Amino acid sequence: MKKIIQKISAALQVVLLAPIKLPGKALNIIKYIALGLGVVETVMDDKDKKGEEESPPPKQILPNQEKEVRDEME
């Protein structure tokens, strides 16, 4: 999904930067679509970064697993 959005966004940028004449309404529609895809890309990137920043869940002790006990030193 992410790759598809990036490719469509790149294609829209090429169309917007190309030295061709487009009707005003078509140009406005392409601009809004490109803007929307940019927002979607940013949201998707934020979700990926947020997932990387979160620490892994704490290790759970299973009932059959022995608990580690530290020796006290005096």
Side-chain angles (χ1 to χ4, degrees):
M1 179 78 174
K2 189 174 180 179
K3 288 182 181 181
I4 294 170
I5 291 173
Q6 288 175 344
K7 288 182 181 185
I8 293 171
S9 180
L12 289 174
Q13 288 176 6
V14 168
V15 170
L16 288 171
L17 294 174
I20 56 174
K21 297 286 183 178
L22 292 173
K25 287 185 180 182
L27 191 60
N28 286 339
I29 290 170
I30 292 172
K31 285 181 184 178
Y32 280 114
I33 292 172
L35 178 67
L37 286 175
V39 171
V40 170
E41 280 184 88
T42 304
V43 170
M44 290 178 73
D45 288 342
D46 286 347
K47 284 183 182 178
D48 292 342
K49 289 180 184 176
K50 185 177 180 182
E52 292 173 359
E53 290 175 359
E54 290 179 356
S55 61
K59 185 177 177 182
Q60 295 179 353
I61 299 175
L62 300 175
N64 298 337
Q65 208 175 26
E66 293 182 15
K67 294 184 180 181
E68 187 176 310
V69 179
R70 293 186 175 175
D71 293 333
E72 293 183 17
M73 300 195 72
E74 296 181 18

